[in-house]
Amino acid sequence: MSGKADDADVPLLSQKNTILERYNRALDASPLLTKSLTSAVISGAGAALGSKLTTKRISWVSVFAFAMHGGLVNGPVGHYWFKWLDENVKSPGKAMVLDQLLIQPPLCALMFVLLDCFSAAIKEMPKSILRTRTSVGGVIVNSWKFWPFAVLLTVKYLKQKYHTLSLNLASLLWTCYLSKSR
């Protein structure tokens, strides 16, 4: 025995543990989550690289905004859109044309709106955390006065198919309370 580890004993060299193999297993186990997280990381990395190359400083607000957009929009939309294309459009050329004409224009417009919304939300985070610290306790106590009854009455007296509608209607009242208490 030479004392050297066999490639199969070294996790990064083992066929079952390469980054690609782990990624493929994650795709098989949780495709939507894997694609969303991948999109978030890559979008955030792109924003970091872009800001570093243009201003020599990383804009962390931009990084987080792009990451949120990638994870919450691009990953899920891409997952379902390309699945649909794969199942319904056999020509790669037609799939590309449909993608570029039907999906890319509204996604691009939505991206600009969401990036501005996410950036504004991130900049307001300290104020939001302070408001949460001062308000959340009272809101939770009041939610325990309202939601248990709404859920209990819904589950006890309505068919399951009406549960969401019933709780959405209860939410109308709850949202009025929340908007008043903000």
Side-chain angles (χ1 to χ4, degrees):
M1 187 154 134
S2 66
K4 290 185 179 179
D6 185 27
D7 282 356
D9 296 331
V10 180
L12 291 176
L13 299 179
S14 166
Q15 182 63 19
K16 290 186 178 181
N17 284 317
T18 64
I19 292 172
L20 182 57
E21 283 296 314
R22 284 186 275 173
Y23 183 73
N24 281 328
R25 285 195 305 273
L27 277 174
D28 292 340
S30 301
L32 178 60
L33 178 62
T34 302
K35 291 172 189 176
S36 295
L37 291 174
T38 301
S39 184
V41 169
I42 291 173
S43 295
L49 184 60
S51 66
K52 185 76 173 163
L53 290 173
T54 56
T55 65
K56 306 294 186 225
R57 295 183 62 230
I58 294 177
S59 166
W60 291 106
V61 169
S62 180
V63 169
F64 288 121
F66 271 94
M68 288 172 29
H69 177 265
L72 298 174
V73 178
N74 277 354
V77 169
H79 170 76
Y80 290 110
W81 171 243
F82 288 108
K83 182 178 180 182
W84 183 89
L85 278 178
D86 189 53
E87 293 170 355
N88 294 285
V89 181
K90 299 306 174 201
S91 164
K94 286 181 184 177
M96 180 272 301
V97 169
L98 286 173
D99 179 66
Q100 293 302 301
L101 294 180
L102 295 181
I103 293 297
Q104 291 309 312
L107 270 183
C108 190
L110 180 64
M111 177 193 68
F112 284 113
V113 171
L114 290 179
L115 288 175
D116 286 346
C117 290
F118 291 149
S119 294
I122 292 166
K123 290 174 185 170
E124 290 292 316
M125 195 59 67
K127 182 177 161 184
S128 177
I129 290 170
L130 179 61
R131 182 176 61 240
T132 300
R133 284 183 178 160
T134 60
S135 302
V136 76
V139 171
I140 289 173
V141 168
N142 286 331
S143 78
W144 289 335
K145 295 174 185 175
F146 177 79
W147 282 107
F149 299 105
V151 172
L152 180 64
L153 293 173
T154 296
V155 172
K156 185 172 182 176
Y157 294 110
L158 296 176
K159 292 180 181 179
Q160 190 276 329
K161 68 181 183 178
Y162 298 118
H163 288 184
T164 301
L165 174 62
S166 174
L167 294 173
N168 279 333
L169 291 171
S171 182
L172 177 72
L173 297 173
W174 182 248
T175 303
C176 288
Y177 160 74
L178 287 178
S179 65
K180 189 182 101 179
S181 66
R182 268 186 100 203

